[in-house]
Amino acid sequence: MKKKVTVAIDGPSSSGKSTIAKLVAKHFNFTYIDSGSIYRAITYVALKNNLIKTGDIDVVSLIDLLNNCSISFSFNSNNQNVIKLDDISVEDEIRTFEISNNVSLIAEKNEIRKYVLKIQKDISNNKSVVMDGRDIGSVVFPNADFKFFLDASIDVRALRRWNELKLTEKDLKFEEVKKDLLKRDKKDINRKFSPLRRSKDSTLINSDRLDISEVVKHIIGIIKKEI
Ligand code: DC
């Protein structure tokens, strides 16, 4: 087997990337890295410090704060990510609707993307990784050994996300979740820096009619053939 394998899995919000990436990583015993969680942790820092006001961010103060704190990952016994802020897990805090609602403001800033890129490269150094996100195959690892782009229709994705969020946010309406996803898609696709794009050399998988295990099997099959 090749010494170090890099697998990039990109796609829009709630296309199933993280669930699928985790299972693929587990199968090959590679490290799974959820790059969205880094943007979410930064959003958490920004909100906690009141740096997002009326839809705008004080980027200078935020970068200053980030330079004085540490965002790191640890891995639990299943080799899954636990994102930490100054060594304290913020896994639960970053999964709220409020964070989802603000994260694209953070992700569109080039200064922030540069900060995240360094974390992404450092964490993948000397490891075989499966990393999911929006720009992994296009910007972060343009030479990745394997690139996949997962997609699904807006209604399928909104339903998946609503089912997840409803467990903790009982009053949340399906339409609210769908609206938020559409807003995030628009922002992810149209932002100036590292927009969501399918790189030509990626394998496109639409999961509208496929369940998770079918997608995982398909991806594992493609990787197995080559390594
Ligand atoms: O995958 P997610 O929903 O947890 O990602 C949260 C946000 O972070 C998403 O709205 C877009 C942004 N993101 C990004 O811009 N680039 C990445 N590589 C990963 C996530």
Side-chain angles (χ1 to χ4, degrees):
M1 195 200 273
K2 239 184 112 174
K3 261 198 188 136
K4 180 177 168 340
V5 179
T6 306
V7 181
I9 302 188
D10 289 302
S13 299
S14 302
S15 53
K17 299 181 303 292
S18 60
T19 311
I20 286 156
K22 258 181 227 163
L23 291 167
V24 171
K26 193 169 177 204
H27 179 90
F28 290 104
N29 205 17
F30 295 167
T31 300
Y32 163 61
I33 301 163
D34 168 4
S35 71
S37 70
I38 311 172
Y39 290 99
R40 287 173 177 270
I42 295 174
T43 308
Y44 174 72
V45 173
L47 286 170
K48 214 171 145 203
N49 290 280
N50 280 322
L51 297 179
I52 305 184
K53 282 187 194 124
T54 53
D56 207 8
I57 303 164
D58 179 349
V59 183
V60 175
S61 304
L62 181 55
I63 293 284
D64 207 39
L65 269 176
L66 293 174
N67 286 333
N68 287 297
C69 70
S70 85
I71 292 181
S72 60
F73 283 103
S74 65
F75 299 93
N76 65 18
S77 50
N78 287 331
N79 211 15
Q80 281 179 6
N81 289 200
V82 176
I83 192 156
K84 293 186 165 180
L85 188 62
D86 289 333
D87 267 345
I88 297 170
S89 168
V90 286
E91 265 303 316
D92 292 338
E93 289 79 351
I94 64 167
R95 305 287 164 197
T96 64
F97 189 59
E98 190 191 15
I99 298 282
S100 299
N101 220 359
N102 284 280
V103 64
S104 35
L105 284 171
I106 294 287
E108 70 187 8
K109 302 286 183 213
N110 200 27
E111 297 87 331
I112 309 257
R113 299 203 75 86
K114 283 190 203 152
Y115 174 91
V116 175
L117 186 64
K118 185 170 181 318
I119 299 180
Q120 287 167 313
K121 298 253 186 210
D122 286 351
I123 198 172
S124 310
N125 203 14
N126 293 323
K127 284 190 195 92
S128 287
V129 297
V130 180
M131 188 180 290
D132 76 343
R134 306 293 186 286
D135 61 340
I136 311 306
S138 55
V139 175
V140 182
F141 296 122
N143 298 320
D145 302 288
F146 300 94
K147 297 183 186 181
F148 298 94
F149 192 92
L150 299 187
D151 209 351
S153 66
I154 180 67
D155 282 307
V156 168
R157 289 186 290 124
L159 190 62
R160 285 178 188 158
R161 187 91 187 108
W162 183 55
N163 283 332
E164 240 172 64
L165 285 167
K166 227 169 38 168
L167 299 174
T168 48
E169 302 182 43
K170 300 215 168 356
D171 297 332
L172 200 58
K173 303 264 178 304
F174 170 79
E175 283 307 325
E176 268 181 276
V177 174
K178 183 172 168 181
K179 203 170 133 201
D180 175 64
L181 273 188
L182 283 169
K183 191 181 87 184
R184 283 211 278 156
D185 280 359
K186 198 170 162 197
K187 286 225 169 216
D188 286 344
I189 293 165
N190 295 311
R191 70 176 171 232
K192 185 167 169 199
F193 304 104
S194 308
L196 172 68
R197 290 266 184 285
R198 174 166 103 80
S199 35
K200 285 198 189 84
D201 53 354
S202 66
T203 303
L204 174 65
I205 303 174
N206 183 304
S207 67
D208 272 355
R209 287 187 184 79
L210 297 174
D211 66 24
I212 285 169
S213 63
E214 290 171 305
V215 178
V216 171
K217 208 170 144 200
H218 183 50
I219 293 180
I220 289 175
I222 291 176
I223 298 176
K224 257 194 186 154
K225 254 197 237 156
E226 306 276 329
I227 61 173

